[in-house]
Amino acid sequence: MNTPNNLKYAKTDEWVKLDGSIATIGVSDYAQDQLSDIVFIEFNKETEDQVTKGDALATIESVKAAGDVNSPVSGRVLEVNEGLSDIPETINDDPYEKGWLYKIEVSNPSEVDELMDASAYVTYCEGRH
Amino acid sequence: MFIPHTDVERQEMLKTIGKKELSELFNVIPEEFRYPELDIPPALSEMEAQQQFSNLADANNACDEMACFLGAGAYNHYVPATVDFLLHRGEFFTAYTPYQPEISQGTLQAIFEFQSLIANLTGMDIANASHYDGATAAAEACISAYHHFRGKRPKLVLSPNLNPQYLETIHTYFGMLDGSKLLVPEEQTAFSDPDQLATLVDDQTALILMQYPDFLGNIYDLTALTTKAHEQGALVAVSVNPIALGLLKPPADFGVDFVVGEGQPLGIPMSFGGPYLGFFATRKELVRKISGRIVGETVDGQGQRGYVLTLTAREQHIRREKATSNICTNQGLMALAATIYLSLLGKSGLRQVAELCYHKAHYAAQQIAGLEGYKLINNQPFFNEFVVECPKNVSVINQHMLEHGLIGGYDLEKSYPKLKNQMLVAVTELNSREEIDLLVDLLEEARHE
Amino acid sequence: MSEPTIYEISSPGRTGIEYAHLDVPPSELPDAFLREELPLPELSELDIVRHFTHLSKLNYSIDGGFYPLGSCTMKYNPRINEVTARMPGFLKAHPLQPIETVQGSLVIMYLLQETLKEITGFDAVTLQPAAGAQGELVGSLIMRAYHRSRGDLKRTKVLVPDSAHGTNPATSSMAGFEPVNVPSDARGNVDVDRLRELCDDTTAGLMLTNPNTLGLFDEHVLEVIDIVHQAGGLVYGDGANLNALLGVTRPGDLGFDIMHINLHKTFSTPHGGGGPGSGPVAVADFLADFLPDPIVAIIEEGTDEMPPLYGFVHPPHSIGRIKSFHGHFGIIVRALTYIMMQGPDGLRSVAEHAVLNANYLMELLKQDYTLPYDRDCMHEFVLEGVWQDAEGVHALDVAKRLMDYGMHPPTNYFPLIVNEALMIEPTETESKQTLDVFVDAMKKIAKEAHEQPELLHEAPHNTPIGRLDEVKAAKDLVLCCWRPEEE
């Protein structure tokens, strides 16, 4: 399982990379592996939408499962990686780079601090087997 | 009979599991509630059972003995012999849902063909594997639309000329969703103008649901209504009679989003109300928003074509509490019946049945309209059902006809108190000219009775 | 091996049926509404008979062999049911005919209502639900209507054990409730302590499958029911597993308030390749007024000369109508036929032999497969299809390999609380000989899993088609007989 150290992780398996006030959000390697072959993604939010921490940002479907992506932060949507709609398997292949889902301007940066760091997330995932 | 165990085998099996008596298997059940005396009749042999059911079947005076002009959601069409012969194959009717595709290709391909036939008939891109019946298919269209907008458009506009049982069903289904709002205009006449309905659609409306032909038989062009609803961002669903689509423009031509309907006319016996077949078709953009099983084509490891249940991530067994519908078992065997029926009739057969229904219904309507005291209410084109205003109470007239071996039309007052003395008459290819003439004679007689 | 589709064997100009000529003068057709094209296939009757006969041969069925699909109760479907359901007096009855002309049908519905009440220990029954899932929906709506009728609006939660069928949580949320997961204890029962903590004045009820999907009868069922009742909630019984209890115990007596019954499982009506089912709902007395509209009743008592008159009644606080007409009448006839041929002793024997068969298989297979809950089971049991010393082999592989031995696999990957679950339900209609052949195959597969795992990974080998590419199916989405680009 690949868990980059420079990212923060939510219990619902989203990762966040914070650049200034801009958070890039995706789903973790652990999550894509659990879902297996991803065949569909639906984005629930568009650019300029306000989101609150916990909002359902997207739904990801594989052949055997479906999962919601919940926003780990609050703020305003700056960009949606809409290209994924045509090639959703990118999330399987490259969850941390090409497989990002949203860029959000964070309204409350302390929400990011509350997330787990990589080692805490690894421990958390191991406890779920 | 159905339990093959001999005494010797039973003893061997009990010994294997370390028990002396069958009753020891149930020690976990609280003793005071174990082995109740069931007050039901002792077992019948097959021969006796057949006789008893035969007596009960004979106690009915059904449409095998009487001419039938009753429709209102179930129709007396001819079921070709081939349909039931093929349904009798145990490989079809004793199989489960095709969860193991390698040994269920028969069921899967038949459903795939059903989806194709329904898509062709309705003019839509895709169809699912079925719903319980026309009423629940209509309710599921409402639910799909509601969830499509994530509850942000809580309003649904329902045509007052929708089958009243469908309206009741939708009310039950929507009673569950707090904050949703069903809008059914109260005025109930044979002339509810669909373009008037369109004015009720606003930016809070998820769906407008129409029927085609509507419950009173009328055929309307729904293009303007659909355009207006789409301008407001709402979706449009239409419930159809599939036999009518053998003759009439498919609703896809109006630009609608969902086409649902009752598949019973497609080779399924009336059987006192069920099992029937709900069908559900939509545009391909909405395929992930609909409920119910869907079969898709794929290949095996050798590149051989095969079929599987697909898009299962929408369904309850995966999504559990997040699924928008709990449907699981559907109407597999009835979908097979419709598949065989539509294949058998094909392009020319379905058109022929539809025309027979149309011409016979219009002949009946003209003859009845010529009777003193009777009036044809429909002022729009109709297909095989129409409304007649009678000189007296419909139930009185129907009673007179019943005594002469004929089941009259539906008494509209039962569903719409305002429609006094109005009878909804249905005519199919099974109604001969003699039967229609008898209907006309009996209506004439009933006026004098 | 693959069979062409009806579109591929279509020949322009062919038809499978000719209708009689029009015997009335034709009327003018409504030009503005005529369809231009009707793109249906064109085949002869023989084309169709052969096509569907070929398709049927690609199916596995109960008629073809052993079908131990857990939770589905794939028992033999007696042929007499097909005869009674097709009697012309039933088949040709219009659902809206005057009740005087359909007394035979109404008697059948009345008898099945009464019989189901007696078998389950409840006080009132509706036959209207089309399937088990719709029965659950009806039950949930009754739960909701009951609490609301008492002005108790804060009961928004329905407790659902973690072993439940997916329909339970899906139904609860569809009915406007919030489903709350209740864990199981180490013996496969509802965790009573957790249940007690979860129950409060927001609890609308508990949905309990008993025996549960592990095939285990809850050892504390009376306590579980009492806890929910004490909190003011109702207990809904998912009747999917009623086959284990026929004539042995009655859920109504145990204290359940509502239960649905799957006629297509317990009462031998065919599964039809995925329906039609039928899911009658039984309730205790105090809930009878909420049942869906309509119910069959005697509306005029009989006299010495006249039989009673049966008709429809409308429960005063009904949750409303949930489908067209009166339920799946054809399925109702089949189920009643079956029950009448069993009688009280026969029903008890059904449950006893279903449970005997399951325990016999469990005993013989637990040597080769991990049995996570090792105690007497009811009509089914769950094994793990995975071994620590057979790396890479999964329940799915075991299932697919079983096809090579000519048998239908058990339900796999359900219930979710068992790792790599294989859920086995033999039913009472299978003989010891059949069970022994199955045991033999399962033991061989366990051995192969360790010695020749590739045999399992590549299975099935002897089926009409190999493992199918489900990812391709979900991504390319070919859902009709023509390709998207052909449009």
Side-chain angles (χ1 to χ4, degrees):
Chain A
M1 178 171 106
N2 178 15
T3 315
N5 282 325
N6 60 335
L7 306 179
K8 297 282 236 172
Y9 300 86
K11 281 194 169 173
T12 44
D13 300 305
E14 297 81 12
W15 56 262
V16 178
K17 187 169 91 180
L18 196 60
D19 269 325
S21 65
I22 298 169
T24 306
I25 292 165
V27 298
S28 71
D29 187 39
Y30 175 87
Q32 71 77 18
D33 184 61
Q34 289 289 309
L35 283 164
S36 78
D37 300 292
I38 293 169
V39 293
F40 179 70
I41 178 160
E42 179 182 41
F43 294 103
N44 302 340
K45 302 284 178 186
E46 37 192 280
T47 310
E48 295 303 319
D49 278 358
Q50 291 293 329
V51 299
T52 307
K53 181 177 172 170
D55 281 358
L57 291 178
T59 305
I60 298 179
E61 284 181 17
S62 69
V63 284
K64 64 169 194 185
D68 283 336
V69 179
N70 302 303
S71 188
V73 295
S74 306
R76 182 169 64 97
V77 176
L78 297 176
E79 205 179 336
V80 182
N81 189 2
E82 280 166 3
L84 290 179
S85 300
D86 296 326
I87 36 169
E89 62 270 30
T90 307
I91 301 168
N92 291 120
D93 301 339
D94 191 3
Y96 297 113
E97 294 292 336
K98 288 185 186 148
W100 67 274
L101 304 179
Y102 283 92
K103 290 192 198 294
I104 292 176
E105 184 179 48
V106 179
S107 58
N108 179 6
S110 70
E111 284 171 352
V112 179
D113 298 336
E114 293 161 17
L115 300 170
M116 288 176 274
D117 63 19
S119 68
Y121 181 65
V122 169
T123 311
Y124 167 71
C125 289
E126 281 166 2
R128 289 151 91 186
H129 281 293
Chain B
M1 196 168 48
F2 309 135
I3 298 175
H5 303 62
T6 65
D7 286 340
V8 174
E9 287 163 353
R10 193 163 27 246
Q11 287 312 318
E12 282 172 13
M13 292 171 77
L14 281 168
K15 198 175 154 205
T16 303
I17 61 173
K19 304 262 190 269
K20 288 202 173 63
E21 303 276 345
L22 286 171
S23 60
E24 288 173 45
L25 291 164
F26 298 100
N27 287 344
V28 63
I29 295 172
E31 198 172 355
E32 64 270 40
F33 299 117
R34 229 182 284 159
Y35 290 127
E37 288 284 324
L38 295 187
D39 183 19
I40 61 173
L44 298 178
S45 66
E46 179 178 313
M47 195 171 79
E48 292 166 312
Q50 178 156 4
Q51 190 56 54
Q52 282 214 8
F53 280 85
S54 181
N55 292 344
L56 287 167
D58 290 346
N60 280 354
N61 297 106
C63 305
D64 54 334
E65 306 172 356
M66 289 194 280
C68 175
F69 290 93
L70 189 54
Y75 300 90
N76 188 28
H77 288 287
Y78 180 68
V79 180
T82 312
V83 177
D84 201 43
F85 262 90
L86 288 168
L87 288 194
H88 260 104
R89 290 193 69 93
E91 297 93 330
F92 284 129
F93 86 83
T94 76
Y96 191 69
T97 302
Y99 284 132
Q100 298 289 349
E102 296 88 347
I103 48 176
S104 311
Q105 286 297 304
T107 296
L108 286 162
Q109 186 170 333
I111 296 171
F112 187 75
E113 291 175 355
F114 170 75
Q115 293 173 182
S116 307
L117 290 162
I118 294 298
N120 272 344
L121 192 61
T122 57
M124 303 301 280
D125 299 328
I126 57 119
N128 74 8
S130 74
H131 281 287
Y132 305 134
D133 63 8
T136 60
E140 293 274 3
C142 295
I143 288 177
S144 294
Y146 180 83
H147 287 290
H148 175 68
F149 296 109
R150 300 175 193 283
K152 286 177 185 155
R153 286 173 168 253
K155 200 167 107 181
L156 292 116
V157 177
L158 308 175
S159 163
N161 289 0
L162 194 63
N163 183 318
Q165 297 206 347
Y166 294 18
L167 282 172
E168 289 173 40
T169 302
I170 294 166
H171 271 278
T172 308
Y173 271 65
F174 266 79
M176 316 182 277
L177 294 168
D178 284 326
S180 66
K181 192 174 155 198
L182 298 176
L183 203 63
V184 189
E186 272 189 25
E187 190 57 34
Q188 176 55 53
T189 73
F191 315 110
S192 295
D193 179 358
D195 294 334
Q196 282 298 113
L197 271 183
T199 62
L200 299 172
V201 176
D202 58 22
D203 64 0
Q204 293 297 297
T205 307
L207 182 82
I208 178 166
L209 173 59
M210 305 298 295
Q211 184 167 324
Y212 172 83
D214 72 18
F215 187 64
L216 305 177
N218 296 315
I219 304 166
Y220 289 98
D221 188 322
L222 302 174
T223 310
L225 172 138
T226 304
T227 308
K228 279 186 198 156
H230 284 168
E231 279 166 11
Q232 295 290 336
L235 298 173
V236 180
V238 182
S239 175
V240 298
N241 174 343
I243 298 287
L245 297 188
L247 185 66
L248 304 180
K249 264 186 190 169
D253 287 9
F254 306 134
V256 305
D257 304 288
F258 299 116
V259 182
V260 298
E262 175 54 69
Q264 178 272 329
L266 302 174
I268 297 168
M270 293 190 291
S271 191
F272 201 49
Y276 289 172
L277 168 70
F279 59 84
F280 193 121
T282 187
R283 295 188 285 111
K284 58 178 177 292
E285 294 78 15
L286 292 168
V287 62
R288 288 171 195 273
K289 302 297 174 141
I290 70 173
S291 58
R293 290 172 182 150
I294 297 175
V295 171
E297 185 187 298
T298 185
V299 292
D300 73 358
Q302 311 296 315
Q304 204 184 180
R305 181 172 72 185
Y307 304 92
V308 292
L309 291 171
T310 191
L311 298 179
T312 52
R314 300 163 299 121
E315 294 184 66
Q316 49 76 26
H317 64 276
I318 289 180
R319 201 163 281 193
R320 295 176 77 89
E321 71 272 13
K322 285 183 181 154
T324 57
S325 170
N326 69 348
I327 189 161
C328 179
T329 291
N330 52 44
Q331 305 294 108
L333 201 67
M334 302 295 105
L336 177 64
T339 306
I340 298 166
Y341 179 86
L342 283 172
S343 308
L344 198 66
L345 270 66
K347 192 190 284 260
S348 64
L350 191 67
R351 171 85 186 210
Q352 213 184 340
V353 170
E355 285 197 21
L356 286 169
C357 292
Y358 181 89
H359 292 305
K360 284 171 184 260
H362 283 73
Y363 171 74
Q366 283 154 18
Q367 299 301 108
I368 295 168
L371 295 175
E372 200 185 324
Y374 290 88
K375 192 172 135 202
L376 176 67
I377 294 296
N378 303 63
N379 67 350
Q380 291 289 318
F382 60 91
F383 175 58
N384 74 329
E385 262 182 312
F386 55 90
V387 180
V388 175
E389 189 174 283
C390 305
K392 52 172 78 164
N393 195 295
V394 174
S395 61
V396 174
I397 296 173
N398 275 343
Q399 185 56 39
H400 173 75
M401 299 206 283
L402 200 57
E403 286 158 14
H404 293 81
L406 186 144
I407 299 170
Y410 181 68
D411 180 359
L412 284 168
E413 196 184 343
K414 281 188 198 164
S415 298
Y416 312 100
K418 284 183 187 168
L419 299 189
K420 282 208 185 337
N421 299 353
Q422 300 204 6
M423 182 193 284
L424 180 67
V425 179
V427 185
T428 73
E429 76 282 6
L430 278 173
N431 295 116
S432 64
R433 182 173 187 152
E434 288 70 37
E435 288 181 359
I436 298 170
D437 292 342
L438 176 65
L439 169 74
V440 175
D441 290 346
L442 289 172
L443 286 171
E444 169 68 12
E445 269 177 43
R447 188 169 63 88
H448 302 297
E449 278 283 305
Chain C
M1 190 69 211
S2 74
E3 171 73 10
T5 68
I6 44 172
Y7 287 83
E8 289 163 342
I9 52 178
S10 166
S11 291
R14 226 172 246 173
T15 182
I17 188 165
E18 288 285 346
Y19 283 88
H21 290 294
L22 189 62
D23 57 357
V24 300
S27 301
E28 199 179 328
L29 292 173
D31 281 338
F33 289 100
L34 293 184
R35 80 183 288 163
E36 287 166 14
E37 255 196 301
L38 183 58
L40 296 179
E42 298 166 87
L43 303 115
S44 72
E45 183 174 326
L46 179 57
D47 289 338
I48 286 156
V49 169
R50 287 212 176 122
H51 174 70
F52 287 99
T53 301
H54 292 167
L55 286 187
S56 76
K57 290 178 177 172
L58 302 178
N59 266 4
Y60 193 89
S61 63
I62 298 173
D63 283 5
F66 187 43
Y67 216 128
L69 196 59
S71 243
C72 300
T73 314
M74 300 300 284
K75 62 170 73 179
Y76 172 63
N77 306 139
R79 289 308 183 269
I80 182 66
N81 296 348
E82 302 305 309
V83 173
T84 53
R86 283 176 171 85
M87 287 175 172
F90 297 140
L91 221 50
K92 300 277 277 179
H94 190 290
L96 299 173
Q97 279 189 220
I99 55 166
E100 294 78 7
T101 64
V102 284
Q103 286 294 300
S105 294
L106 290 167
V107 168
I108 283 186
M109 294 181 71
Y110 184 79
L111 284 176
L112 187 62
Q113 287 176 194
E114 293 301 302
T115 310
L116 291 178
K117 278 155 63 175
E118 182 62 22
I119 291 170
T120 57
F122 288 95
D123 303 305
V125 165
T126 171
L127 303 178
Q128 212 183 92
Q134 206 185 28
E136 287 179 32
L137 185 61
V138 165
S140 300
L141 290 178
I142 290 173
M143 217 185 255
R144 186 180 149 110
Y146 165 75
H147 291 306
R148 291 193 169 205
S149 76
R150 295 156 48 92
D152 194 349
L153 302 179
K154 59 185 179 302
R155 294 191 181 269
T156 54
K157 290 179 187 157
V158 169
L159 306 175
V160 181
D162 55 8
S163 58
H165 294 113
T167 49
N168 287 180
T171 304
S172 300
S173 46
M174 195 176 173
F177 289 118
E178 180 194 336
V180 177
N181 194 45
V182 187
S184 303
D185 70 14
R187 288 179 61 78
N189 300 306
V190 170
D191 184 329
V192 171
D193 294 334
R194 280 299 289 148
L195 178 69
R196 204 172 268 120
E197 286 164 24
L198 288 168
C199 276
D200 59 22
D201 61 0
T202 65
T203 304
L206 167 73
M207 291 183 97
L208 184 64
T209 311
N210 189 39
N212 64 17
T213 60
L214 298 165
L216 300 173
F217 193 93
D218 198 293
E219 293 169 305
H220 319 116
V221 63
L222 298 178
E223 193 184 352
V224 166
I225 291 171
D226 189 53
I227 291 168
V228 178
H229 283 167
Q230 288 298 328
L234 300 179
V235 181
Y236 180 93
D238 180 326
N241 296 340
L242 183 63
N243 206 44
L245 304 181
L246 293 176
V248 173
T249 193
R250 308 198 307 169
D253 295 347
L254 297 173
F256 285 88
D257 302 297
I258 313 172
M259 189 175 80
H260 83 259
I261 300 151
N262 301 77
L263 298 185
H264 51 292
K265 295 182 179 177
T266 312
F267 297 110
S268 83
T269 73
H271 285 76
S278 178
V281 170
V283 295
D285 212 11
F286 69 103
L287 298 173
D289 287 350
F290 299 105
L291 285 173
D293 195 21
I295 306 289
V296 178
I298 293 174
I299 57 173
E300 270 176 43
E301 290 298 336
T303 62
D304 292 343
E305 294 90 50
M306 289 286 285
L309 182 69
Y310 296 83
F312 292 109
V313 294
H314 308 283
H317 305 295
S318 173
I319 58 160
R321 172 175 286 285
I322 47 122
K323 67 184 292 296
S324 296
F325 308 121
H326 339 296
H328 283 171
F329 180 77
I331 308 301
I332 289 165
V333 179
R334 289 171 172 88
L336 187 66
T337 306
Y338 176 77
I339 293 171
M340 288 178 71
M341 286 180 63
Q342 299 296 335
D345 299 338
L347 289 177
R348 172 172 159 171
S349 182
V350 164
E352 287 175 335
H353 288 87
V355 173
L356 174 67
N357 279 0
N359 278 282
Y360 179 73
L361 287 183
M362 185 174 82
E363 181 61 31
L364 295 176
L365 290 175
K366 72 181 182 189
Q367 303 149 11
D368 304 85
Y369 291 78
T370 303
L371 175 68
Y373 298 91
D374 188 2
R375 61 177 170 99
D376 286 355
C377 67
M378 292 281 118
H379 64 301
E380 67 189 359
F381 60 98
V382 183
L383 300 173
E384 289 183 6
V386 68
W387 298 265
Q388 283 196 333
D389 52 353
E391 209 177 324
V393 174
H394 295 277
L396 184 72
D397 304 310
V398 176
K400 300 296 183 196
R401 182 66 179 146
L402 202 50
M403 296 175 190
D404 286 336
Y405 286 93
M407 275 167 275
H408 196 283
T411 300
N412 49 57
Y413 298 104
F414 188 82
L416 306 175
I417 58 171
V418 174
N419 184 29
E420 300 282 333
L422 290 169
M423 183 192 204
I424 300 170
E425 179 181 10
T427 85
E428 73 284 358
T429 58
E430 299 299 334
S431 68
K432 179 173 177 296
Q433 287 83 347
T434 303
L435 302 182
D436 287 342
V437 172
F438 175 70
V439 168
D440 196 42
M442 286 291 282
K443 283 179 183 290
K444 281 188 185 142
I445 292 170
K447 197 158 174 260
E448 289 168 356
H450 293 84
E451 294 169 5
Q452 296 168 277
E454 68 285 357
L455 270 180
L456 276 70
H457 293 311
E458 289 157 17
H461 305 82
N462 314 333
T463 49
I465 197 157
R467 285 197 205 187
L468 288 149
D469 185 346
E470 297 189 19
V471 175
K472 177 180 162 61
K475 273 168 67 176
D476 293 354
L477 283 188
V478 178
L479 306 178
C480 293
C481 291
W482 50 93
R483 298 281 177 291
E485 64 268 20
E486 287 172 21
E487 282 168 14

